Amino acid sequence: MIKGATDRAVLIADFRSGLGRSILLGLEFLVAADIINTVAVEPTLESLLVLAGIVLIRTFLSFSLEVEIDGRWPWQKRRSAQATPSAGDAED
């Protein structure tokens, strides 16, 4: 593979990761805003049920986006942890 193509692939992956993290942060702010709005306004059973639905949907979206960004399930080990130690680590 050509070095320029590799650099481009790394840049695209970094951009996608940064964009995904920004979307995750936005979803967290929206959940917090919905919670504050429900508590600040007179909480009714209907508004609490709507809040619960919104939180469930946004939590699912956040989880799905996290899996897409990392490329693994949360309970799987990180790929860097599975890598073999470098030659410098073997010298003790």
mmCIF file of all heavy atoms in Angstrom, residues 58-79:
data_model
loop_
_atom_site.group_PDB
_atom_site.id
_atom_site.type_symbol
_atom_site.label_atom_id
_atom_site.label_comp_id
_atom_site.label_asym_id
_atom_site.label_seq_id
_atom_site.Cartn_x
_atom_site.Cartn_y
_atom_site.Cartn_z
ATOM 1 N N ARG A 58 -31.825 7.140 23.274
ATOM 2 C CA ARG A 58 -30.514 7.802 23.166
ATOM 3 C C ARG A 58 -29.400 6.943 23.742
ATOM 4 O O ARG A 58 -28.263 6.975 23.253
ATOM 5 C CB ARG A 58 -30.568 9.169 23.823
ATOM 6 C CG ARG A 58 -31.402 10.133 23.000
ATOM 7 C CD ARG A 58 -31.343 11.526 23.526
ATOM 8 N NE ARG A 58 -32.163 12.404 22.686
ATOM 9 C CZ ARG A 58 -32.682 13.536 23.085
ATOM 10 N NH1 ARG A 58 -32.471 13.966 24.310
ATOM 11 N NH2 ARG A 58 -33.397 14.276 22.267
ATOM 12 N N THR A 59 -29.694 6.163 24.774
ATOM 13 C CA THR A 59 -28.682 5.248 25.313
ATOM 14 C C THR A 59 -28.334 4.183 24.281
ATOM 15 O O THR A 59 -27.157 3.853 24.085
ATOM 16 C CB THR A 59 -29.195 4.598 26.611
ATOM 17 O OG1 THR A 59 -29.480 5.631 27.557
ATOM 18 C CG2 THR A 59 -28.167 3.655 27.193
ATOM 19 N N PHE A 60 -29.336 3.646 23.593
ATOM 20 C CA PHE A 60 -29.093 2.668 22.532
ATOM 21 C C PHE A 60 -28.257 3.281 21.411
ATOM 22 O O PHE A 60 -27.318 2.660 20.913
ATOM 23 C CB PHE A 60 -30.412 2.124 21.986
ATOM 24 C CG PHE A 60 -30.236 1.218 20.813
ATOM 25 C CD1 PHE A 60 -29.772 -0.075 20.986
ATOM 26 C CD2 PHE A 60 -30.501 1.667 19.529
ATOM 27 C CE1 PHE A 60 -29.594 -0.917 19.886
ATOM 28 C CE2 PHE A 60 -30.326 0.837 18.437
ATOM 29 C CZ PHE A 60 -29.873 -0.457 18.617
ATOM 30 N N LEU A 61 -28.598 4.520 21.030
ATOM 31 C CA LEU A 61 -27.821 5.198 19.986
ATOM 32 C C LEU A 61 -26.379 5.417 20.424
ATOM 33 O O LEU A 61 -25.439 5.214 19.648
ATOM 34 C CB LEU A 61 -28.469 6.533 19.625
ATOM 35 C CG LEU A 61 -29.778 6.467 18.846
ATOM 36 C CD1 LEU A 61 -30.381 7.857 18.720
ATOM 37 C CD2 LEU A 61 -29.558 5.851 17.483
ATOM 38 N N SER A 62 -26.188 5.827 21.669
ATOM 39 C CA SER A 62 -24.830 6.041 22.177
ATOM 40 C C SER A 62 -24.034 4.745 22.181
ATOM 41 O O SER A 62 -22.869 4.717 21.793
ATOM 42 C CB SER A 62 -24.872 6.624 23.595
ATOM 43 O OG SER A 62 -25.465 7.885 23.597
ATOM 44 N N PHE A 63 -24.678 3.673 22.633
ATOM 45 C CA PHE A 63 -24.009 2.373 22.660
ATOM 46 C C PHE A 63 -23.625 1.932 21.255
ATOM 47 O O PHE A 63 -22.494 1.500 21.010
ATOM 48 C CB PHE A 63 -24.937 1.337 23.316
ATOM 49 C CG PHE A 63 -24.351 -0.042 23.375
ATOM 50 C CD1 PHE A 63 -23.410 -0.379 24.335
ATOM 51 C CD2 PHE A 63 -24.736 -1.008 22.470
ATOM 52 C CE1 PHE A 63 -22.866 -1.640 24.385
ATOM 53 C CE2 PHE A 63 -24.209 -2.276 22.505
ATOM 54 C CZ PHE A 63 -23.271 -2.602 23.470
ATOM 55 N N SER A 64 -24.550 2.064 20.322
ATOM 56 C CA SER A 64 -24.287 1.673 18.933
ATOM 57 C C SER A 64 -23.159 2.495 18.327
ATOM 58 O O SER A 64 -22.289 1.972 17.622
ATOM 59 C CB SER A 64 -25.548 1.846 18.084
ATOM 60 O OG SER A 64 -26.580 1.051 18.574
ATOM 61 N N LEU A 65 -23.163 3.787 18.601
ATOM 62 C CA LEU A 65 -22.120 4.662 18.073
ATOM 63 C C LEU A 65 -20.767 4.336 18.683
ATOM 64 O O LEU A 65 -19.738 4.341 17.999
ATOM 65 C CB LEU A 65 -22.485 6.122 18.325
ATOM 66 C CG LEU A 65 -21.680 7.180 17.628
ATOM 67 C CD1 LEU A 65 -21.683 6.977 16.116
ATOM 68 C CD2 LEU A 65 -22.220 8.562 17.946
ATOM 69 N N GLU A 66 -20.743 4.021 19.964
ATOM 70 C CA GLU A 66 -19.498 3.635 20.634
ATOM 71 C C GLU A 66 -18.917 2.369 20.014
ATOM 72 O O GLU A 66 -17.716 2.269 19.777
ATOM 73 C CB GLU A 66 -19.761 3.430 22.127
ATOM 74 C CG GLU A 66 -18.528 3.193 22.938
ATOM 75 C CD GLU A 66 -17.697 4.442 23.140
ATOM 76 O OE1 GLU A 66 -18.266 5.534 23.247
ATOM 77 O OE2 GLU A 66 -16.454 4.311 23.195
ATOM 78 N N VAL A 67 -19.773 1.391 19.721
ATOM 79 C CA VAL A 67 -19.316 0.154 19.084
ATOM 80 C C VAL A 67 -18.766 0.467 17.694
ATOM 81 O O VAL A 67 -17.728 -0.061 17.288
ATOM 82 C CB VAL A 67 -20.466 -0.874 19.015
ATOM 83 C CG1 VAL A 67 -20.102 -2.053 18.117
ATOM 84 C CG2 VAL A 67 -20.807 -1.367 20.406
ATOM 85 N N GLU A 68 -19.435 1.346 16.958
ATOM 86 C CA GLU A 68 -18.980 1.716 15.611
ATOM 87 C C GLU A 68 -17.629 2.421 15.660
ATOM 88 O O GLU A 68 -16.754 2.178 14.831
ATOM 89 C CB GLU A 68 -20.029 2.609 14.947
ATOM 90 C CG GLU A 68 -19.654 3.079 13.569
ATOM 91 C CD GLU A 68 -19.621 1.971 12.539
ATOM 92 O OE1 GLU A 68 -20.309 0.962 12.713
ATOM 93 O OE2 GLU A 68 -18.883 2.128 11.541
ATOM 94 N N ILE A 69 -17.428 3.291 16.634
ATOM 95 C CA ILE A 69 -16.175 4.044 16.727
ATOM 96 C C ILE A 69 -15.018 3.116 17.101
ATOM 97 O O ILE A 69 -13.958 3.145 16.483
ATOM 98 C CB ILE A 69 -16.300 5.177 17.771
ATOM 99 C CG1 ILE A 69 -17.246 6.261 17.256
ATOM 100 C CG2 ILE A 69 -14.934 5.779 18.092
ATOM 101 C CD1 ILE A 69 -17.618 7.283 18.315
ATOM 102 N N ASP A 70 -15.225 2.287 18.126
ATOM 103 C CA ASP A 70 -14.141 1.434 18.620
ATOM 104 C C ASP A 70 -13.926 0.198 17.758
ATOM 105 O O ASP A 70 -12.848 -0.387 17.768
ATOM 106 C CB ASP A 70 -14.418 0.994 20.060
ATOM 107 C CG ASP A 70 -14.285 2.139 21.042
ATOM 108 O OD1 ASP A 70 -13.664 3.160 20.677
ATOM 109 O OD2 ASP A 70 -14.791 2.010 22.173
ATOM 110 N N GLY A 71 -14.960 -0.228 17.045
ATOM 111 C CA GLY A 71 -14.819 -1.420 16.214
ATOM 112 C C GLY A 71 -14.807 -2.705 17.007
ATOM 113 O O GLY A 71 -14.327 -3.730 16.536
ATOM 114 N N ARG A 72 -15.335 -2.666 18.235
ATOM 115 C CA ARG A 72 -15.379 -3.866 19.079
ATOM 116 C C ARG A 72 -16.500 -3.694 20.098
ATOM 117 O O ARG A 72 -16.974 -2.604 20.342
ATOM 118 C CB ARG A 72 -14.056 -4.075 19.810
ATOM 119 C CG ARG A 72 -13.733 -2.936 20.762
ATOM 120 C CD ARG A 72 -12.440 -3.154 21.523
ATOM 121 N NE ARG A 72 -12.173 -1.999 22.351
ATOM 122 C CZ ARG A 72 -12.712 -1.781 23.552
ATOM 123 N NH1 ARG A 72 -13.538 -2.642 24.054
ATOM 124 N NH2 ARG A 72 -12.422 -0.705 24.242
ATOM 125 N N TRP A 73 -16.911 -4.805 20.700
ATOM 126 C CA TRP A 73 -17.903 -4.750 21.760
ATOM 127 C C TRP A 73 -17.231 -4.241 23.032
ATOM 128 O O TRP A 73 -16.033 -4.472 23.235
ATOM 129 C CB TRP A 73 -18.505 -6.125 21.997
ATOM 130 C CG TRP A 73 -19.288 -6.636 20.827
ATOM 131 C CD1 TRP A 73 -18.899 -7.612 19.957
ATOM 132 C CD2 TRP A 73 -20.561 -6.186 20.386
ATOM 133 N NE1 TRP A 73 -19.864 -7.799 18.999
ATOM 134 C CE2 TRP A 73 -20.903 -6.936 19.245
ATOM 135 C CE3 TRP A 73 -21.459 -5.224 20.842
ATOM 136 C CZ2 TRP A 73 -22.094 -6.749 18.558
ATOM 137 C CZ3 TRP A 73 -22.646 -5.043 20.156
ATOM 138 C CH2 TRP A 73 -22.955 -5.802 19.040
ATOM 139 N N PRO A 74 -17.950 -3.592 23.899
ATOM 140 C CA PRO A 74 -17.324 -3.038 25.116
ATOM 141 C C PRO A 74 -16.666 -4.077 26.012
ATOM 142 O O PRO A 74 -15.710 -3.778 26.720
ATOM 143 C CB PRO A 74 -18.502 -2.378 25.851
ATOM 144 C CG PRO A 74 -19.498 -2.086 24.799
ATOM 145 C CD PRO A 74 -19.345 -3.173 23.773
ATOM 146 N N TRP A 75 -17.147 -5.311 25.996
ATOM 147 C CA TRP A 75 -16.572 -6.331 26.860
ATOM 148 C C TRP A 75 -15.368 -7.027 26.231
ATOM 149 O O TRP A 75 -14.722 -7.844 26.887
ATOM 150 C CB TRP A 75 -17.630 -7.356 27.242
ATOM 151 C CG TRP A 75 -18.355 -7.927 26.078
ATOM 152 C CD1 TRP A 75 -17.960 -8.970 25.297
ATOM 153 C CD2 TRP A 75 -19.605 -7.469 25.550
ATOM 154 N NE1 TRP A 75 -18.882 -9.189 24.299
ATOM 155 C CE2 TRP A 75 -19.907 -8.294 24.433
ATOM 156 C CE3 TRP A 75 -20.480 -6.455 25.906
ATOM 157 C CZ2 TRP A 75 -21.055 -8.117 23.679
ATOM 158 C CZ3 TRP A 75 -21.618 -6.294 25.146
ATOM 159 C CH2 TRP A 75 -21.909 -7.118 24.063
ATOM 160 N N GLN A 76 -15.034 -6.695 24.991
ATOM 161 C CA GLN A 76 -13.842 -7.260 24.362
ATOM 162 C C GLN A 76 -12.621 -6.442 24.759
ATOM 163 O O GLN A 76 -12.705 -5.240 24.997
ATOM 164 C CB GLN A 76 -13.983 -7.245 22.842
ATOM 165 C CG GLN A 76 -14.996 -8.224 22.318
ATOM 166 C CD GLN A 76 -15.142 -8.123 20.818
ATOM 167 O OE1 GLN A 76 -14.999 -7.045 20.246
ATOM 168 N NE2 GLN A 76 -15.440 -9.239 20.171
ATOM 169 N N LYS A 77 -11.473 -7.116 24.779
ATOM 170 C CA LYS A 77 -10.233 -6.423 25.101
ATOM 171 C C LYS A 77 -9.843 -5.499 23.968
ATOM 172 O O LYS A 77 -10.150 -5.738 22.811
ATOM 173 C CB LYS A 77 -9.100 -7.428 25.344
ATOM 174 C CG LYS A 77 -9.289 -8.255 26.566
ATOM 175 C CD LYS A 77 -8.122 -9.195 26.756
ATOM 176 C CE LYS A 77 -8.310 -10.035 27.993
ATOM 177 N NZ LYS A 77 -7.211 -10.970 28.191
ATOM 178 N N ARG A 78 -9.121 -4.463 24.314
ATOM 179 C CA ARG A 78 -8.619 -3.544 23.297
ATOM 180 C C ARG A 78 -7.617 -4.271 22.424
ATOM 181 O O ARG A 78 -6.892 -5.142 22.848
ATOM 182 C CB ARG A 78 -7.938 -2.334 23.938
ATOM 183 C CG ARG A 78 -8.909 -1.432 24.639
ATOM 184 C CD ARG A 78 -8.273 -0.055 24.755
ATOM 185 N NE ARG A 78 -9.200 0.885 25.312
ATOM 186 C CZ ARG A 78 -10.051 1.599 24.594
ATOM 187 N NH1 ARG A 78 -10.074 1.482 23.299
ATOM 188 N NH2 ARG A 78 -10.870 2.440 25.170
ATOM 189 N N ARG A 79 -7.570 -3.872 21.145
ATOM 190 C CA ARG A 79 -6.647 -4.522 20.204
ATOM 191 C C ARG A 79 -5.195 -4.289 20.602
ATOM 192 O O ARG A 79 -4.366 -5.156 20.439
ATOM 193 C CB ARG A 79 -6.884 -3.988 18.797
ATOM 194 C CG ARG A 79 -8.191 -4.462 18.220
ATOM 195 C CD ARG A 79 -8.393 -3.941 16.830
ATOM 196 N NE ARG A 79 -9.695 -4.374 16.342
ATOM 197 C CZ ARG A 79 -10.447 -3.691 15.527
ATOM 198 N NH1 ARG A 79 -10.035 -2.534 15.071
ATOM 199 N NH2 ARG A 79 -11.609 -4.130 15.145
#
